[in-house]
Amino acid sequence: MSSSIWKNYFGQDEVASSGATPPNDKGPAKPLPANWYTSPDMWELERRAIFSRKWMLITHKLRLPTTGDYLVYHIAGYPIIIVRDKDGNFNALHNVCRHRAFPVVTEEQGKARIFACKYHGWSYGLNGKLAKAPGYQDLDGFDKSKNGLFQIHVHVDNTGFIWVNLDAKEQPEIAWEDDTSKVDLQGRFNGVDWDEYNFDHSWETEGEYNWKILADNYTERYHSPDAPSLTNLANSTPEQIAGGLRAASTYYFPNASMTASPHVVFMQRIVPTSATKCMMRYEVYRHKNSSDEDFELINQTYKRIVSEDQDLCTDVQKNLSNGAFAIGESDPQMEKGSLQFQTIVRQLVLEHYNREQDAGREIWPTRQTLPTAATTSEEDMTFCNKLDARAKGSSPASGCCGGTACQSNDTLVF
């Protein structure tokens, strides 16, 4: 793939803000071993260390043009709602009713004035605040203001793309400015007028492979002759440029990519569902002045390449899972992008693992905060965590249950 794919996003400034050290161009490369692509425990750790902490590209505001428009997305097992409210703000909310955890929204997209849970009738405004809780509002001690939907941090960048961060703290541990500094101001997008595109369609496919395999595939600088990358069109011939096949592609850590061309903007999200499975969700934005012929040329080219890449990833996963392959070799130049991706994964995972070892428990940044007064809930959670630790044949450090209940002050896990 074009070197610009990592240079413009995995460049020195952006990598440094992620806490990762760029791979040495001339030194030995250190790719991730096979078991990082097959282990269920590694996948759960990635959910805590990466997907619960990093800013993630979700969609574009063009998909939510009017008040009440909403979309449901899934991020590493977490269902979330993105909605436009009456003030024009974009809100992100966990799709979990605060009463009994039933999904507040059961359709993948739609238009709503309120979000009403179909289980017991709790309802919420488009900003997530609790509007009605039948039978609860007159109970002593029930605080309506503290029972709204769980909020998710949202940032709309300069190009109109919507990003989210699942960290449950009032302010996320990783700030937008520190995580994705100026990624929306790349020079490669100069001349792209995002207002001249309309949302056209979306589709999704299922992959029988670990999410990192597709990321590795996307961020490398070369492909097999049978599966040329669309991002190689960054070095397009005059004939390709004339045909609308010039493209600028970027991979946005951890799990999204975007390819912008004069006629079409494609966005791809890799949605992990387990250690060895994921969904790919695609959104297509068409230039207002693109003819049917020009649009279909690049649209079909992109879809063909996507299909070929997924076939390659499936075959790679089969060999990673059979136990014969332990670790491969990587060219520090030709695979600089994928090595940089793996470096960030490794550092985030190890950093979070060490924090958990020091704390003697798993740390789930997305998990809700409970008040100090919730002693019964804390005792019940502690009891269950002790059972889990015993079943795994481990004993929590320093007498701690190793679970969420051993948190100091008035929080559990953050």
Side-chain angles (χ1 to χ4, degrees), residues 109-171:
Q109 63 182 59
K111 191 177 187 68
R113 290 182 298 176
I114 60 170
F115 293 127
C117 180
K118 297 178 181 179
Y119 198 177
H120 296 101
W122 283 38
S123 60
Y124 308 84
L126 301 181
N127 57 8
K129 293 182 179 179
L130 180 63
K132 184 177 65 174
Y136 277 76
Q137 296 176 127
D138 297 328
L139 292 179
D140 291 339
F142 181 77
D143 190 339
K144 184 177 176 181
S145 67
K146 293 183 179 179
N147 282 278
L149 296 176
F150 296 126
Q151 299 278 337
I152 296 170
H153 303 286
V154 177
H155 180 86
V156 181
D157 70 24
N158 287 289
T159 59
F161 284 93
I162 299 174
W163 300 67
V164 299
N165 186 307
L166 300 184
D167 192 329
K169 294 194 203 63
E170 184 174 350
Q171 295 296 327

Short mmCIF file of all heavy atoms in Angstrom, two decimals, residues 109-171:
data_model
loop_
_atom_site.label_atom_id
_atom_site.label_comp_id
_atom_site.label_asym_id
_atom_site.label_seq_id
_atom_site.Cartn_x
_atom_site.Cartn_y
_atom_site.Cartn_z
N GLN A 109 -31.81 1.49 12.89
CA GLN A 109 -31.85 2.92 12.60
C GLN A 109 -33.30 3.37 12.57
O GLN A 109 -34.23 2.56 12.51
CB GLN A 109 -31.19 3.23 11.25
CG GLN A 109 -31.87 2.62 10.04
CD GLN A 109 -31.14 2.94 8.76
OE1 GLN A 109 -29.96 2.62 8.60
NE2 GLN A 109 -31.81 3.60 7.84
N GLY A 110 -33.52 4.68 12.67
CA GLY A 110 -34.87 5.19 12.65
C GLY A 110 -34.92 6.65 13.05
O GLY A 110 -33.91 7.36 13.03
N LYS A 111 -36.11 7.09 13.42
CA LYS A 111 -36.35 8.47 13.85
C LYS A 111 -37.21 8.41 15.10
O LYS A 111 -38.20 7.67 15.14
CB LYS A 111 -37.04 9.25 12.75
CG LYS A 111 -37.10 10.76 12.96
CD LYS A 111 -37.74 11.44 11.77
CE LYS A 111 -37.67 12.95 11.88
NZ LYS A 111 -36.28 13.44 11.76
N ALA A 112 -36.84 9.17 16.12
CA ALA A 112 -37.55 9.09 17.39
C ALA A 112 -37.69 10.47 18.02
O ALA A 112 -36.85 11.34 17.83
CB ALA A 112 -36.82 8.15 18.35
N ARG A 113 -38.76 10.66 18.79
CA ARG A 113 -38.92 11.85 19.61
C ARG A 113 -38.40 11.58 21.02
O ARG A 113 -37.87 12.46 21.69
CB ARG A 113 -40.38 12.28 19.65
CG ARG A 113 -40.90 12.83 18.32
CD ARG A 113 -42.33 13.29 18.44
NE ARG A 113 -43.21 12.17 18.78
CZ ARG A 113 -44.52 12.29 19.03
NH1 ARG A 113 -45.07 13.49 19.01
NH2 ARG A 113 -45.25 11.23 19.30
N ILE A 114 -38.59 10.33 21.47
CA ILE A 114 -38.06 9.86 22.74
C ILE A 114 -37.60 8.42 22.52
O ILE A 114 -37.99 7.76 21.55
CB ILE A 114 -39.08 9.91 23.89
CG1 ILE A 114 -40.28 9.03 23.54
CG2 ILE A 114 -39.48 11.34 24.19
CD1 ILE A 114 -41.24 8.83 24.71
N PHE A 115 -36.82 7.91 23.46
CA PHE A 115 -36.46 6.50 23.45
C PHE A 115 -37.24 5.82 24.56
O PHE A 115 -37.03 6.10 25.75
CB PHE A 115 -34.96 6.32 23.67
CG PHE A 115 -34.11 6.83 22.54
CD1 PHE A 115 -33.08 7.74 22.79
CD2 PHE A 115 -34.35 6.42 21.25
CE1 PHE A 115 -32.31 8.22 21.74
CE2 PHE A 115 -33.58 6.90 20.19
CZ PHE A 115 -32.55 7.80 20.44
N ALA A 116 -38.18 4.96 24.19
CA ALA A 116 -39.04 4.30 25.17
C ALA A 116 -38.72 2.80 25.20
O ALA A 116 -38.85 2.10 24.19
CB ALA A 116 -40.50 4.51 24.82
N CYS A 117 -38.30 2.31 26.36
CA CYS A 117 -37.99 0.90 26.52
C CYS A 117 -39.30 0.09 26.47
O CYS A 117 -40.27 0.40 27.17
CB CYS A 117 -37.27 0.67 27.84
SG CYS A 117 -36.85 -1.07 28.13
N LYS A 118 -39.32 -0.96 25.68
CA LYS A 118 -40.53 -1.77 25.50
C LYS A 118 -40.73 -2.80 26.62
O LYS A 118 -41.74 -3.49 26.64
CB LYS A 118 -40.47 -2.48 24.15
CG LYS A 118 -40.46 -1.52 22.96
CD LYS A 118 -40.36 -2.27 21.65
CE LYS A 118 -40.34 -1.30 20.47
NZ LYS A 118 -40.22 -2.01 19.16
N TYR A 119 -39.76 -2.88 27.52
CA TYR A 119 -39.87 -3.89 28.58
C TYR A 119 -40.79 -3.40 29.70
O TYR A 119 -41.81 -4.02 30.00
CB TYR A 119 -38.47 -4.20 29.10
CG TYR A 119 -38.32 -5.48 29.88
CD1 TYR A 119 -37.08 -5.88 30.34
CD2 TYR A 119 -39.41 -6.30 30.16
CE1 TYR A 119 -36.91 -7.06 31.05
CE2 TYR A 119 -39.27 -7.48 30.87
CZ TYR A 119 -38.01 -7.85 31.32
OH TYR A 119 -37.86 -9.02 32.03
N HIS A 120 -40.43 -2.27 30.33
CA HIS A 120 -41.24 -1.77 31.44
C HIS A 120 -41.60 -0.29 31.29
O HIS A 120 -42.06 0.32 32.26
CB HIS A 120 -40.50 -1.98 32.77
CG HIS A 120 -40.28 -3.41 33.10
ND1 HIS A 120 -39.06 -4.03 32.91
CD2 HIS A 120 -41.13 -4.36 33.60
CE1 HIS A 120 -39.16 -5.30 33.29
NE2 HIS A 120 -40.39 -5.53 33.71
N GLY A 121 -41.38 0.28 30.12
CA GLY A 121 -41.90 1.61 29.85
C GLY A 121 -41.03 2.77 30.29
O GLY A 121 -41.49 3.92 30.24
N TRP A 122 -39.80 2.53 30.73
CA TRP A 122 -38.93 3.68 31.03
C TRP A 122 -38.65 4.41 29.73
O TRP A 122 -38.42 3.79 28.68
CB TRP A 122 -37.62 3.20 31.66
CG TRP A 122 -37.76 2.81 33.11
CD1 TRP A 122 -38.79 2.15 33.71
CD2 TRP A 122 -36.78 3.04 34.13
NE1 TRP A 122 -38.54 1.95 35.03
CE2 TRP A 122 -37.31 2.48 35.33
CE3 TRP A 122 -35.53 3.64 34.17
CZ2 TRP A 122 -36.62 2.54 36.54
CZ3 TRP A 122 -34.84 3.69 35.38
CH2 TRP A 122 -35.38 3.15 36.55
N SER A 123 -38.65 5.74 29.77
CA SER A 123 -38.41 6.51 28.56
C SER A 123 -37.37 7.61 28.80
O SER A 123 -37.23 8.11 29.93
CB SER A 123 -39.71 7.12 28.03
OG SER A 123 -40.29 7.97 28.99
N TYR A 124 -36.68 7.97 27.73
CA TYR A 124 -35.55 8.89 27.82
C TYR A 124 -35.62 9.90 26.68
O TYR A 124 -36.10 9.61 25.58
CB TYR A 124 -34.23 8.12 27.72
CG TYR A 124 -34.10 6.97 28.68
CD1 TYR A 124 -34.65 5.71 28.38
CD2 TYR A 124 -33.46 7.12 29.90
CE1 TYR A 124 -34.54 4.65 29.26
CE2 TYR A 124 -33.35 6.06 30.79
CZ TYR A 124 -33.89 4.82 30.46
OH TYR A 124 -33.79 3.77 31.33
N GLY A 125 -35.12 11.12 26.95
CA GLY A 125 -35.01 12.12 25.91
C GLY A 125 -33.88 11.79 24.96
O GLY A 125 -33.07 10.87 25.20
N LEU A 126 -33.78 12.54 23.87
CA LEU A 126 -32.72 12.30 22.88
C LEU A 126 -31.34 12.63 23.43
O LEU A 126 -30.34 12.26 22.83
CB LEU A 126 -32.99 13.12 21.62
CG LEU A 126 -34.33 12.83 20.90
CD1 LEU A 126 -34.44 13.69 19.65
CD2 LEU A 126 -34.46 11.34 20.56
N ASN A 127 -31.31 13.33 24.57
CA ASN A 127 -30.04 13.59 25.25
C ASN A 127 -29.70 12.53 26.28
O ASN A 127 -28.70 12.63 26.99
CB ASN A 127 -30.06 14.97 25.90
CG ASN A 127 -31.21 15.12 26.89
OD1 ASN A 127 -31.93 14.15 27.20
ND2 ASN A 127 -31.41 16.34 27.39
N GLY A 128 -30.57 11.51 26.39
CA GLY A 128 -30.32 10.40 27.31
C GLY A 128 -30.90 10.58 28.70
O GLY A 128 -30.89 9.64 29.50
N LYS A 129 -31.43 11.76 29.02
CA LYS A 129 -31.97 11.99 30.36
C LYS A 129 -33.28 11.23 30.55
O LYS A 129 -34.10 11.15 29.64
CB LYS A 129 -32.19 13.49 30.59
CG LYS A 129 -30.90 14.29 30.63
CD LYS A 129 -31.17 15.77 30.91
CE LYS A 129 -29.87 16.55 30.98
NZ LYS A 129 -30.11 18.01 31.24
N LEU A 130 -33.46 10.69 31.75
CA LEU A 130 -34.67 9.93 32.05
C LEU A 130 -35.88 10.86 32.05
O LEU A 130 -35.90 11.89 32.73
CB LEU A 130 -34.53 9.25 33.42
CG LEU A 130 -35.72 8.41 33.89
CD1 LEU A 130 -35.94 7.23 32.95
CD2 LEU A 130 -35.49 7.92 35.32
N ALA A 131 -36.90 10.48 31.28
CA ALA A 131 -38.14 11.27 31.21
C ALA A 131 -39.23 10.67 32.08
O ALA A 131 -39.98 11.38 32.74
CB ALA A 131 -38.61 11.37 29.76
N LYS A 132 -39.33 9.35 32.09
CA LYS A 132 -40.41 8.69 32.83
C LYS A 132 -39.96 7.30 33.28
O LYS A 132 -39.34 6.56 32.52
CB LYS A 132 -41.66 8.57 31.94
CG LYS A 132 -42.87 7.98 32.64
CD LYS A 132 -44.09 7.96 31.73
CE LYS A 132 -43.90 7.04 30.55
NZ LYS A 132 -45.13 6.90 29.73
N ALA A 133 -40.30 6.97 34.54
CA ALA A 133 -40.01 5.65 35.09
C ALA A 133 -41.23 5.20 35.88
O ALA A 133 -41.34 5.47 37.07
CB ALA A 133 -38.78 5.68 35.98
N PRO A 134 -42.19 4.56 35.22
CA PRO A 134 -43.46 4.20 35.88
C PRO A 134 -43.25 3.45 37.19
O PRO A 134 -42.53 2.45 37.25
CB PRO A 134 -44.14 3.30 34.84
CG PRO A 134 -43.58 3.75 33.52
CD PRO A 134 -42.15 4.10 33.82
N GLY A 135 -43.88 3.98 38.25
CA GLY A 135 -43.82 3.33 39.55
C GLY A 135 -42.61 3.66 40.37
O GLY A 135 -42.52 3.30 41.55
N TYR A 136 -41.63 4.38 39.79
CA TYR A 136 -40.39 4.66 40.50
C TYR A 136 -40.28 6.12 40.93
O TYR A 136 -39.59 6.43 41.90
CB TYR A 136 -39.18 4.33 39.62
CG TYR A 136 -38.80 2.86 39.66
CD1 TYR A 136 -39.55 1.93 38.96
CD2 TYR A 136 -37.71 2.42 40.40
CE1 TYR A 136 -39.22 0.58 38.99
CE2 TYR A 136 -37.37 1.08 40.44
CZ TYR A 136 -38.13 0.16 39.73
OH TYR A 136 -37.81 -1.17 39.76
N GLN A 137 -40.94 7.00 40.21
CA GLN A 137 -40.69 8.42 40.43
C GLN A 137 -41.14 8.92 41.80
O GLN A 137 -40.69 9.96 42.26
CB GLN A 137 -41.35 9.23 39.30
CG GLN A 137 -40.73 8.90 37.95
CD GLN A 137 -41.40 9.60 36.78
OE1 GLN A 137 -40.74 10.25 35.98
NE2 GLN A 137 -42.72 9.48 36.68
N ASP A 138 -42.05 8.18 42.44
CA ASP A 138 -42.53 8.59 43.77
C ASP A 138 -41.84 7.82 44.90
O ASP A 138 -42.17 8.01 46.07
CB ASP A 138 -44.05 8.39 43.87
CG ASP A 138 -44.80 9.27 42.88
OD1 ASP A 138 -44.31 10.38 42.60
OD2 ASP A 138 -45.86 8.84 42.39
N LEU A 139 -40.91 6.94 44.54
CA LEU A 139 -40.21 6.17 45.57
C LEU A 139 -39.20 7.05 46.29
O LEU A 139 -38.49 7.85 45.67
CB LEU A 139 -39.49 4.98 44.95
CG LEU A 139 -40.35 3.85 44.37
CD1 LEU A 139 -39.45 2.77 43.77
CD2 LEU A 139 -41.26 3.25 45.45
N ASP A 140 -39.12 6.89 47.60
CA ASP A 140 -38.13 7.64 48.38
C ASP A 140 -36.72 7.24 47.93
O ASP A 140 -36.40 6.05 47.81
CB ASP A 140 -38.30 7.35 49.87
CG ASP A 140 -39.58 7.93 50.44
OD1 ASP A 140 -40.11 8.87 49.81
OD2 ASP A 140 -40.04 7.45 51.50
N GLY A 141 -35.91 8.24 47.72
CA GLY A 141 -34.51 7.98 47.38
C GLY A 141 -34.24 7.78 45.90
O GLY A 141 -33.07 7.68 45.50
N PHE A 142 -35.29 7.71 45.09
CA PHE A 142 -35.07 7.54 43.65
C PHE A 142 -34.71 8.88 43.03
O PHE A 142 -35.48 9.84 43.09
CB PHE A 142 -36.31 6.97 42.97
CG PHE A 142 -36.13 6.74 41.49
CD1 PHE A 142 -35.41 5.65 41.03
CD2 PHE A 142 -36.67 7.63 40.57
CE1 PHE A 142 -35.24 5.44 39.67
CE2 PHE A 142 -36.51 7.44 39.21
CZ PHE A 142 -35.78 6.34 38.76
N ASP A 143 -33.54 8.95 42.43
CA ASP A 143 -33.04 10.19 41.83
C ASP A 143 -33.13 10.08 40.32
O ASP A 143 -32.32 9.41 39.68
CB ASP A 143 -31.61 10.45 42.28
CG ASP A 143 -31.12 11.85 41.89
OD1 ASP A 143 -31.70 12.46 40.98
OD2 ASP A 143 -30.14 12.32 42.50
N LYS A 144 -34.11 10.75 39.77
CA LYS A 144 -34.34 10.70 38.32
C LYS A 144 -33.13 11.19 37.54
O LYS A 144 -32.78 10.64 36.49
CB LYS A 144 -35.57 11.55 38.00
CG LYS A 144 -36.02 11.53 36.56
CD LYS A 144 -37.29 12.37 36.42
CE LYS A 144 -37.73 12.47 34.98
NZ LYS A 144 -38.95 13.30 34.84
N SER A 145 -32.45 12.19 38.08
CA SER A 145 -31.31 12.78 37.35
C SER A 145 -30.12 11.85 37.25
O SER A 145 -29.24 12.05 36.41
CB SER A 145 -30.88 14.08 38.04
OG SER A 145 -30.33 13.81 39.33
N LYS A 146 -30.09 10.81 38.09
CA LYS A 146 -28.96 9.89 38.08
C LYS A 146 -29.28 8.57 37.39
O LYS A 146 -28.50 7.62 37.48
CB LYS A 146 -28.49 9.62 39.52
CG LYS A 146 -27.89 10.84 40.19
CD LYS A 146 -27.38 10.51 41.58
CE LYS A 146 -26.77 11.74 42.24
NZ LYS A 146 -26.26 11.44 43.63
N ASN A 147 -30.42 8.52 36.69
CA ASN A 147 -30.82 7.27 36.05
C ASN A 147 -31.07 7.43 34.56
O ASN A 147 -31.89 6.72 33.97
CB ASN A 147 -32.06 6.71 36.75
CG ASN A 147 -31.73 6.02 38.05
OD1 ASN A 147 -31.33 4.85 38.07
ND2 ASN A 147 -31.86 6.75 39.16
N GLY A 148 -30.38 8.37 33.95
CA GLY A 148 -30.44 8.50 32.51
C GLY A 148 -29.59 7.43 31.84
O GLY A 148 -28.88 6.66 32.49
N LEU A 149 -29.69 7.34 30.53
CA LEU A 149 -28.86 6.39 29.79
C LEU A 149 -27.38 6.73 29.97
O LEU A 149 -27.02 7.89 30.12
CB LEU A 149 -29.22 6.42 28.30
CG LEU A 149 -30.64 5.99 27.93
CD1 LEU A 149 -30.88 6.16 26.44
CD2 LEU A 149 -30.89 4.54 28.35
N PHE A 150 -26.54 5.71 29.96
CA PHE A 150 -25.12 5.94 30.11
C PHE A 150 -24.59 6.72 28.90
O PHE A 150 -24.77 6.31 27.75
CB PHE A 150 -24.37 4.61 30.23
CG PHE A 150 -24.73 3.83 31.48
CD1 PHE A 150 -25.16 2.52 31.39
CD2 PHE A 150 -24.65 4.42 32.73
CE1 PHE A 150 -25.49 1.80 32.52
CE2 PHE A 150 -24.98 3.71 33.87
CZ PHE A 150 -25.41 2.39 33.77
N GLN A 151 -23.94 7.83 29.19
CA GLN A 151 -23.44 8.71 28.14
C GLN A 151 -22.10 8.21 27.61
O GLN A 151 -21.31 7.60 28.32
CB GLN A 151 -23.27 10.12 28.69
CG GLN A 151 -24.55 10.76 29.20
CD GLN A 151 -25.37 11.36 28.07
OE1 GLN A 151 -24.87 11.68 27.01
NE2 GLN A 151 -26.68 11.50 28.32
N ILE A 152 -21.86 8.49 26.33
CA ILE A 152 -20.60 8.17 25.67
C ILE A 152 -20.02 9.47 25.12
O ILE A 152 -20.75 10.30 24.58
CB ILE A 152 -20.82 7.15 24.55
CG1 ILE A 152 -21.31 5.82 25.13
CG2 ILE A 152 -19.53 6.93 23.74
CD1 ILE A 152 -21.78 4.82 24.09
N HIS A 153 -18.73 9.66 25.26
CA HIS A 153 -18.08 10.87 24.78
C HIS A 153 -18.13 10.93 23.26
O HIS A 153 -17.90 9.93 22.57
CB HIS A 153 -16.63 10.92 25.26
CG HIS A 153 -16.47 10.83 26.75
ND1 HIS A 153 -16.78 11.87 27.58
CD2 HIS A 153 -16.06 9.81 27.54
CE1 HIS A 153 -16.57 11.51 28.84
NE2 HIS A 153 -16.13 10.26 28.83
N VAL A 154 -18.45 12.12 22.73
CA VAL A 154 -18.59 12.32 21.29
C VAL A 154 -17.72 13.49 20.85
O VAL A 154 -17.61 14.50 21.55
CB VAL A 154 -20.06 12.61 20.91
CG1 VAL A 154 -20.19 12.89 19.41
CG2 VAL A 154 -20.96 11.48 21.31
N HIS A 155 -17.13 13.36 19.68
CA HIS A 155 -16.42 14.49 19.05
C HIS A 155 -16.74 14.48 17.56
O HIS A 155 -16.63 13.44 16.90
CB HIS A 155 -14.91 14.38 19.24
CG HIS A 155 -14.15 15.51 18.61
ND1 HIS A 155 -13.91 16.70 19.26
CD2 HIS A 155 -13.59 15.64 17.38
CE1 HIS A 155 -13.24 17.51 18.47
NE2 HIS A 155 -13.03 16.90 17.31
N VAL A 156 -17.17 15.64 17.03
CA VAL A 156 -17.39 15.80 15.60
C VAL A 156 -16.20 16.59 15.06
O VAL A 156 -15.97 17.73 15.48
CB VAL A 156 -18.70 16.53 15.30
CG1 VAL A 156 -18.91 16.65 13.79
CG2 VAL A 156 -19.87 15.79 15.93
N ASP A 157 -15.44 15.99 14.14
CA ASP A 157 -14.22 16.65 13.68
C ASP A 157 -14.50 17.69 12.60
O ASP A 157 -15.66 17.94 12.23
CB ASP A 157 -13.17 15.62 13.24
CG ASP A 157 -13.55 14.89 11.95
OD1 ASP A 157 -14.33 15.42 11.15
OD2 ASP A 157 -13.01 13.77 11.73
N ASN A 158 -13.45 18.32 12.10
CA ASN A 158 -13.60 19.42 11.15
C ASN A 158 -14.19 19.01 9.82
O ASN A 158 -14.65 19.86 9.05
CB ASN A 158 -12.23 20.08 10.92
CG ASN A 158 -11.77 20.89 12.10
OD1 ASN A 158 -12.30 21.95 12.40
ND2 ASN A 158 -10.79 20.37 12.83
N THR A 159 -14.18 17.72 9.52
CA THR A 159 -14.75 17.24 8.27
C THR A 159 -16.15 16.67 8.44
O THR A 159 -16.74 16.18 7.48
CB THR A 159 -13.83 16.16 7.64
OG1 THR A 159 -13.69 15.07 8.55
CG2 THR A 159 -12.46 16.74 7.32
N GLY A 160 -16.68 16.70 9.67
CA GLY A 160 -18.03 16.22 9.93
C GLY A 160 -18.11 14.77 10.35
O GLY A 160 -19.23 14.25 10.55
N PHE A 161 -16.97 14.09 10.51
CA PHE A 161 -17.01 12.70 10.96
C PHE A 161 -17.18 12.65 12.47
O PHE A 161 -16.66 13.49 13.21
CB PHE A 161 -15.74 11.96 10.52
CG PHE A 161 -15.75 11.60 9.07
CD1 PHE A 161 -15.18 12.44 8.12
CD2 PHE A 161 -16.37 10.44 8.62
CE1 PHE A 161 -15.21 12.14 6.77
CE2 PHE A 161 -16.41 10.12 7.28
CZ PHE A 161 -15.83 10.97 6.34
N ILE A 162 -17.92 11.64 12.92
CA ILE A 162 -18.28 11.50 14.33
C ILE A 162 -17.41 10.42 14.97
O ILE A 162 -17.31 9.30 14.46
CB ILE A 162 -19.77 11.14 14.47
CG1 ILE A 162 -20.64 12.25 13.87
CG2 ILE A 162 -20.13 10.91 15.95
CD1 ILE A 162 -22.13 11.91 13.83
N TRP A 163 -16.79 10.78 16.10
CA TRP A 163 -15.93 9.87 16.86
C TRP A 163 -16.51 9.66 18.24
O TRP A 163 -17.18 10.55 18.78
CB TRP A 163 -14.53 10.46 17.00
CG TRP A 163 -13.80 10.75 15.73
CD1 TRP A 163 -14.12 11.68 14.77
CD2 TRP A 163 -12.61 10.10 15.26
NE1 TRP A 163 -13.21 11.65 13.75
CE2 TRP A 163 -12.27 10.69 14.02
CE3 TRP A 163 -11.81 9.09 15.78
CZ2 TRP A 163 -11.16 10.30 13.30
CZ3 TRP A 163 -10.69 8.70 15.06
CH2 TRP A 163 -10.38 9.29 13.83
N VAL A 164 -16.25 8.50 18.84
CA VAL A 164 -16.73 8.23 20.19
C VAL A 164 -15.60 7.63 21.03
O VAL A 164 -14.64 7.06 20.52
CB VAL A 164 -17.93 7.26 20.21
CG1 VAL A 164 -19.10 7.85 19.44
CG2 VAL A 164 -17.55 5.89 19.68
N ASN A 165 -15.75 7.81 22.35
CA ASN A 165 -14.84 7.21 23.32
C ASN A 165 -15.69 6.63 24.43
O ASN A 165 -16.51 7.32 25.04
CB ASN A 165 -13.88 8.27 23.87
CG ASN A 165 -12.81 7.69 24.78
OD1 ASN A 165 -13.11 6.98 25.72
ND2 ASN A 165 -11.55 8.01 24.50
N LEU A 166 -15.52 5.33 24.73
CA LEU A 166 -16.39 4.61 25.66
C LEU A 166 -15.97 4.72 27.12
O LEU A 166 -16.64 4.16 28.00
CB LEU A 166 -16.45 3.13 25.27
CG LEU A 166 -17.00 2.80 23.88
CD1 LEU A 166 -17.08 1.29 23.70
CD2 LEU A 166 -18.35 3.43 23.64
N ASP A 167 -14.89 5.42 27.40
CA ASP A 167 -14.44 5.58 28.78
C ASP A 167 -15.57 6.20 29.60
O ASP A 167 -16.11 7.25 29.25
CB ASP A 167 -13.21 6.49 28.80
CG ASP A 167 -12.50 6.48 30.15
OD1 ASP A 167 -13.17 6.30 31.17
OD2 ASP A 167 -11.26 6.68 30.18
N ALA A 168 -15.95 5.55 30.72
CA ALA A 168 -17.10 5.98 31.51
C ALA A 168 -16.82 7.18 32.41
O ALA A 168 -17.75 7.73 33.01
CB ALA A 168 -17.62 4.82 32.35
N LYS A 169 -15.57 7.60 32.51
CA LYS A 169 -15.29 8.77 33.35
C LYS A 169 -15.93 10.02 32.77
O LYS A 169 -16.23 10.10 31.58
CB LYS A 169 -13.78 9.00 33.43
CG LYS A 169 -12.99 7.95 34.15
CD LYS A 169 -11.60 8.50 34.45
CE LYS A 169 -10.59 7.39 34.65
NZ LYS A 169 -10.38 6.58 33.47
N GLU A 170 -16.12 11.03 33.62
CA GLU A 170 -16.69 12.29 33.17
C GLU A 170 -15.83 12.90 32.06
O GLU A 170 -16.34 13.48 31.10
CB GLU A 170 -16.82 13.26 34.34
CG GLU A 170 -17.50 14.56 33.98
CD GLU A 170 -17.74 15.44 35.19
OE1 GLU A 170 -17.55 14.97 36.33
OE2 GLU A 170 -18.12 16.62 35.00
N GLN A 171 -14.53 12.79 32.20
CA GLN A 171 -13.59 13.16 31.15
C GLN A 171 -12.77 11.91 30.81
O GLN A 171 -12.21 11.29 31.71
CB GLN A 171 -12.65 14.28 31.61
CG GLN A 171 -13.36 15.61 31.88
CD GLN A 171 -13.99 16.19 30.63
OE1 GLN A 171 -13.46 16.02 29.54
NE2 GLN A 171 -15.11 16.88 30.80
#
